[in-house]
């Protein structure tokens, strides 16, 4: 890295949107990221607010408390809180002490709420007005304000105790007679969001109703802040990321560009868990050493039975995980779904039992072997559908993420049942 | 289904948001969905626009062209186009003919664009103004309009040829001196979106910049329409859905509540593809019948080698698929990533080679067997990382979705290499 290179980067950064600088930094290996960060100039607060937790952790770690305080006071409340929530309690304390009184109070209020709740998503930069004013007065008031907070599509109407009463949309301000009163044209259609609503439910509400911004209230209906649609975009992206990564046993904070050793360790744990299930399958196979030593064709064919079960079960599991996430599965239709998935499993079991059975008969010139593998496939696909359907429901009841644990447990079931059914039937019919 | 039940549903529907009615319909089995649809009353257009393609296909199929035309003219352009694009060309023709001239022209214009492009996402309900007018005049004009189009955060400023010049935010209208001109306060910061931009890129832009609405232009800068953030929410949700479902070989249009037979058939294809790879693995195992018939422990342990490779490879693959989707992988860092992933693979290979090797030694009282399985695991995890990293890049170059094909090919690689390495080394060292 030459000084000339940094000069060039600085020139480039001057013309680049902070979100693109964030993306550039995230695509650098961790070490180089720190070097570039320290040697170039750009709007630190903006860029940090666009970065993912894992990638910016290292950078924040190297900043002084003063510096972090300066950056966070320039961010939207929710972004600042997001950032602070990744720091140790002691560090947060230091950063808060380095802020001015006003920002400290504002942030402390929101830091109190769970990151994955409406409170953790909200901004406290709401503009509030009273219902008994005329639009003309509101316009006069607004024209004295230099700028509205980002993504303001509406002002919030409150009473004397700051209790939420309705939303006054900018669209209604500009289209209505300025002599009307706020309470005549305010909208009361949007139900305000309770501050402890989980962020996934908030996201579903935004998706269903197409909101831009929604008020957040506490149990006394006091207006606490607002959630805007851009924060919801992040929730949806993170949620889908999480499901995808959890399916492979990866942490959502896994940094593609983290040092080799920390990645190795993070992934080793998952491999270890899966190894336990693989040993279980081996143990089952070991129970049939007698059959295996007499008929070598069993060893050749047995992975087919296990793999078909795994694939079919994963399909059911995936459909269920998505259905649960979209709120499509309820106790009213669960039994119908179970019957359908099991029927699909058995039908597909029959189709492929015939195909695999015939291939096995021809390959090893044994009709009996074909029958054994066919029967084992039907049995395994039946149990695959059964567990693929019920596992996510049970895991959800136990508050375990089905995307994370579902796959491992399912594969264990289909491996064990696949090997046991195939080798067990072979022991009974072929020896 | 009794008449009383429908009366109750009608009462319920009258107080329910259309998006919730849509969700309710989607969670019914296909047959019951049609019955409820035919026997109850609600805002058909609204509910249809909130339903997913697969679930509403059957319902639209049963509506007359007149009925579909009536429903689509009440929808936003982009929702109407979404719906029409799921119909056959002949059917679209019939529906368009059943519309009034104005709607037909409006929809024909947008139908022309690819569903997965900016053109397919846009609404044509833009309000345009000229730059040389004063805010006072604009306000007078707006007050004569009863209502602004849904999700209007800005008007669009165009010249005499309808070429895009800038955005006039409602927030700026209400905060500025009404004597100023539109061109004094209009924003030119947002780069308009070309009509053929892929919808995934549009979504990334919205995520990065936090837009509410963005103008869409053709190559002559003529304003064609606007994209609003709620449509982008759908794109993001669909994209993440697609990745999740493709990983299990499922179609994004797979209907959880479709009839058993159509689901069976849809899934059978994927099972068949995976069966081919399973047969390939069996063929490889078959090459080592001699070793297997002499040492039965090989059959017991061989699934462990294959499964460890599959798990490790899937982790690399998942990280890569996500990195590519988020635009974090480039030719500049690909080589660095390859080195890192291979290093992680080999290190994890070494860790688990020791563990599995020791277990195998003790279980089967054979030091040599432990060494063989350890070596095979290191080899397989090396190739797993290698293919997990390169496969998605190669598939992307070939315009094949890595989420769909990546997993199958990867498992084939790790199965074949796992079995061949383990049984091959065993043949060399143990016989």
């Amino acid at each position: 890295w030459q000084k000339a290179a940094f000069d060039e980067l600085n020139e480039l950064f001057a013309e680049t949107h902070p979100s693109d600088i964030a993306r550039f930094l995230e695509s650098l290996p961790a070490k180089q990221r720190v070097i570039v960060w320290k040697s170039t100039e750009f709007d630190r607060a903006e860029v940090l607010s666009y970065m993912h937790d894992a990638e910016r952790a290292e950078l924040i770690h190297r900043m002084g408390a003063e510096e972090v305080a300066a950056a966070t006071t320039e961010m939207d409340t929710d972004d600042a809180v997001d950032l602070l929530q990744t720091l140790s309690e002691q560090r947060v304390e230091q950063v808060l002490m380095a802020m001015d009184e006003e920002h400290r109070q504002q942030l402390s209020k929101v830091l109190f709420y769970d990151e994955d709740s409406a409170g953790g998503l909200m901004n406290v930069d709401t503009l509030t007005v009273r219902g008994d004013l005329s639009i003309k007065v509101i316009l006069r008031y607004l024209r004295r304000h230099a700028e509205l907070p980002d993504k303001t599509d509406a002002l919030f109407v409150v009473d004397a105790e700051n209790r939420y009463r309705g939303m006054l949309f900018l669209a209604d301000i500009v289209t209505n007679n300025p002599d009307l009163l706020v309470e005549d044209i305010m909208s009361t259609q949007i139900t305000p969001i309770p501050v402890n609503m989980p962020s996934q439910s908030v996201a579903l509400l935004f998706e269903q109703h197409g909101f831009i911004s929604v008020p957040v209230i506490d149990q006394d209906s006091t207006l606490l802040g607002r959630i805007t649609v851009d924060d919801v975009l992040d929730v949806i992206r993170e949620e889908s990321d999480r499901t995808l990564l959890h399916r492979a046993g990866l942490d959502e904070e896994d940094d593609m560009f983290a040092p080799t050793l920390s990645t190795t360790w993070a992934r080793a744990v998952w491999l270890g868990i899966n190894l336990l299930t693989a040993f279980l399958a081996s143990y089952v196979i070991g129970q049939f050493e007698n059959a295996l030593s007499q008929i070598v064709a069993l060893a050749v064919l047995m992975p087919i039975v296990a793999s078909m079960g795994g694939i079919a079960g994963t399909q059911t599991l995936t459909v269920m995980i998505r259905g649960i996430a979209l709120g499509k599965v309820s106790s009213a239709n669960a039994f119908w779904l179970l019957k359908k998935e099991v029927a699909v499993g058995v039908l597909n079991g029959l189709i492929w039992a015939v195909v695999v059975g015939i291939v096995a008969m021809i390959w090893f010139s044994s009709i009996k072997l074909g029958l054994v593998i066919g029967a084992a496939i039907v049995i395994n696909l039946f149990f695959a559908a059964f567990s693929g359907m019920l596992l996510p429901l049970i895991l959800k009841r136990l508050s375990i993420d089905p995307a994370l644990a579902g796959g491992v447990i399912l594969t264990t079931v289909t491996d064990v049942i696949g090997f046991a059914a195939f080798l067990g039937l072979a022991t009974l019919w072929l020896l």
Side-chain angles (χ1 to χ4, degrees), chain A residues 275-305:
Chain A
L275 181 61
L276 286 179
T277 82
F279 270 128
L280 188 62
S282 287
Y283 173 80
V284 172
I285 299 171
Q287 302 308 302
F288 302 95
E289 282 195 10
N290 186 25
L292 283 166
S293 63
Q294 290 185 46
I295 311 169
V296 82
L298 298 180
V300 174
L301 294 175
M302 69 182 186
I304 294 179
V305 182

Side-chain angles (χ1 to χ4, degrees), chain A residues 5 9 80 120 126 135 138 146 156 168 177 212 214 229-230 253 301 305 366 376 421:
Chain A
L9 269 181
T126 44
I135 298 304
I138 300 292
F156 295 96
L168 178 65
N177 182 334
I212 305 288
V214 173
V229 65
D230 53 324
E253 299 305 339
L301 294 175
V305 182
S366 158

Side-chain angles (χ1 to χ4, degrees), chain A residues 3-32:
Chain A
K3 195 182 164 303
F6 292 128
D7 289 344
E8 245 178 84
L9 269 181
N10 279 332
E11 265 177 57
L12 199 70
F13 283 171
E15 293 165 10
T16 309
H17 191 277
S19 70
D20 293 320
I21 301 180
R23 207 135 61 97
F24 168 76
L25 288 173
E26 290 189 344
S27 69
L28 289 175
K31 270 186 213 163
Q32 299 189 21

Side-chain angles (χ1 to χ4, degrees), chain A residues 30 57 73 77 86 109 122 134 159 223 244 263 277 286 295 338 343-344 347 355 364-365 376 404 408:
Chain A
T73 51
T77 348
T86 61
K109 247 187 283 172
M122 73 182 177
S134 73
D159 66 12
L223 181 70
L244 183 67
T263 302
T277 82
I295 311 169
L338 179 64
V344 170
L347 283 174
V355 174
F364 294 97
S365 318
L404 184 61
V408 190

Side-chain angles (χ1 to χ4, degrees), chain A residues 128-246:
Chain A
T128 55
V129 293
R130 300 285 284 279
D132 51 5
L133 299 175
S134 73
I135 298 304
K136 206 182 289 174
V137 173
I138 300 292
L139 275 170
R140 210 178 311 141
Y141 165 78
L142 287 175
R143 283 180 187 137
R144 258 182 279 135
H145 262 75
E147 228 180 322
L148 295 180
D150 214 24
K151 256 144 247 112
T152 295
D153 66 328
L155 313 180
F156 295 96
V157 188
V158 292
D159 66 12
E161 273 82 43
N162 201 33
R163 275 190 297 256
Y164 173 77
R165 291 193 51 209
M167 288 174 84
L168 178 65
F169 286 98
L170 296 186
D172 291 326
I173 296 181
V174 298
T175 52
N176 277 290
N177 182 334
D179 293 324
L180 288 172
L181 295 184
V182 167
E183 55 198 3
D184 295 332
I185 67 166
M186 74 180 182
S187 161
T188 53
Q189 288 236 308
I190 294 182
T191 316
I193 290 183
V195 69
N196 55 3
M197 181 184 273
S199 50
Q200 291 201 6
S201 313
V202 175
L204 268 182
L205 275 179
F206 269 81
E207 274 184 273
Q208 284 166 26
H209 300 272
F211 297 140
I212 305 288
S213 72
V214 173
V216 178
I217 56 166
D218 67 10
Q219 55 203 21
D220 305 320
S221 288
T222 307
L223 181 70
L224 299 174
R226 64 183 185 122
I227 297 177
T228 52
V229 65
D230 53 324
D231 303 317
V232 171
L233 278 180
D234 294 343
V235 172
I236 293 176
R237 176 65 80 182
E238 274 168 28
E239 193 191 316
S240 74
D241 255 19
R242 192 180 305 155
T243 308
L244 183 67
L245 294 174
H246 276 190

